[in-house]
Each structure stands twice: as C-alpha cells, then as structure tokens.
Amino acid sequence: AAAARRFLVALPEALRSTRPARVLARSLESGRRAHSILLHGEDPAALESTVVALASAILDCPAQQARTHPDYITLRPSGKARQIRIGERGESGENTMRSLMRQVNQTPNRAPRKLAVVFDADRMNAATANAFLKTLEEPPADSTILLVTTRPYDLLDTIRSRCFHFRIDGGGAQTARDARWQDWLDSYSR
C-alpha cells in the first residue's frame, strides 16, 4: 500500500486518475509487479513523470531522489544517429545495451529491486534489440525494466509481446482541432 501511495503522490495530479495510473497503483499495492513494462504516449513530459513516480515507488525513495538512486539504471540513444548501441563484448563503456544488461543482472545495492529504464526504446537497432530480447525472456527476479517511447510500433513485435503496455496521455489535455477536420470525420463516419 505504501508503494502505491508513493507512486500516486509522485505523479502529476492530471495523471493520477487515469486508467494506467490506477492499474499500476493496484499492481504496486498487491506486490505483483511486471518484470517489463512498455510506457508509450505522445507526451514525453507525461512519460518522464510516470517513470519518476514508478522509480520512487519501486526503489522506495522520494521522487526527488529517484534519478540518483544507485539501483536506477538508464539507457538513452547517443551519437549522431541517436541510436541505442549494443556495445562491444568486454567494452566497459556506459550507455550501451551490454552495460545495461550487466548492471541489471547484478544484485540491487540498496532497494529490494533494480529499475532499468530504456528511454526512446524505439531507437534500438536490430542487433541491439535482439541482444536485449534475452534479458526480457529471462529477467532477473529482482528487477523491473521500463521501456519508454513515443513510437511503440517501431519496436520489434517480440519485444512488445513481452511487456505490459500502458499508454500514458498528457493528463487529459485536449488538442485543438481544426473545424474542417471534424467535418471530415463526420462525413467519413456516415
């Protein structure tokens, strides 16, 4: 119950009453956490807020400290092509998939679980995605992996099929629509 409460309090108010927030809070409350979760939506700020709130709940720390917690591991695209690189065997370089997988397979430092977050997960090339599949197929028991993207269908089907999906909207913000668009929708539905 404390983890669910921590999660909901850390979320922006506009996201607290959404269906994904309620489902995630129930899973935290029951202690039945998925090993891999795909968070997707069009609003990067809402996705980031959800990641921080989940990190706070899973790592049992205040939201302000979640990003610096020793059991919070992130991977982001890098380089000119903004790709998530696999990394060479034996390479000690950070911000590669091999580095993330190595860290996820280690014992947590302080929290009961590790949290690995792959931002812009759709930026994995085929080699990286295939290497990552092994971790998704056999995740360590004491870890949670979050994949975050605004383009979920650019991920391999085999990756998407191994994750629980949550569409995170920007808290119910309405986008302005051109009147001609609504007219077109009306005529199309007839």
Side-chain angles (χ1 to χ4, degrees):
R5 195 170 27 260
R6 185 183 296 272
F7 168 67
L8 290 171
V9 167
L11 274 177
E13 191 172 339
L15 292 174
R16 289 181 195 157
S17 63
T18 63
R19 186 170 191 276
R22 290 190 314 265
V23 171
L24 286 166
R26 276 196 310 268
S27 73
L28 289 166
E29 189 172 337
S30 69
R32 299 176 77 203
R33 297 180 186 107
H35 285 288
S36 51
I37 299 171
L38 172 61
L39 299 175
H40 60 93
E42 295 176 11
D43 184 353
L47 291 169
E48 180 81 23
S49 295
T50 305
V51 167
V52 170
L54 279 170
S56 173
I58 291 169
L59 301 174
D60 193 26
C61 68
Q64 305 88 313
Q65 297 173 5
R67 289 185 182 113
T68 58
H69 194 284
D71 294 315
Y72 179 77
I73 308 156
T74 61
L75 179 58
R76 294 180 184 269
S78 62
K80 289 182 181 179
R82 290 205 15 87
Q83 292 287 309
I84 295 177
R85 298 178 310 123
I86 189 170
E88 299 301 320
R89 290 196 186 277
E91 177 184 346
S92 62
E94 296 300 312
N95 208 42
T96 65
M97 185 56 73
R98 287 194 200 281
S99 173
L100 176 112
M101 292 185 306
R102 185 175 51 254
Q103 291 176 60
V104 165
N105 283 303
Q106 293 173 353
T107 307
N109 291 309
R110 270 195 283 178
R113 300 180 70 79
K114 283 194 170 265
L115 178 66
V117 185
V118 181
F119 289 98
D120 297 323
D122 57 279
R123 303 298 298 174
M124 285 188 258
N125 61 30
T128 303
N130 286 319
F132 181 59
L133 270 174
K134 179 75 171 157
T135 301
L136 283 181
E137 289 169 350
E138 299 173 17
D142 56 358
S143 68
T144 300
I145 300 169
L146 298 179
L147 300 175
V148 182
T149 182
T150 57
R151 300 167 52 175
Y153 295 104
D154 285 353
L155 288 167
L156 290 178
D157 292 341
T158 49
I159 288 178
R160 284 196 326 268
S161 70
R162 287 168 174 77
C163 300
F164 283 91
H165 297 230
F166 293 95
R167 178 169 175 75
I168 307 298
D169 292 317
Q174 295 293 322
T175 56
R177 284 195 175 163
D178 187 322
R180 293 174 294 169
W181 175 248
Q182 190 59 47
D183 292 342
W184 181 87
L185 282 174
D186 292 341
S187 67
Y188 181 78
S189 61
R190 289 183 206 154

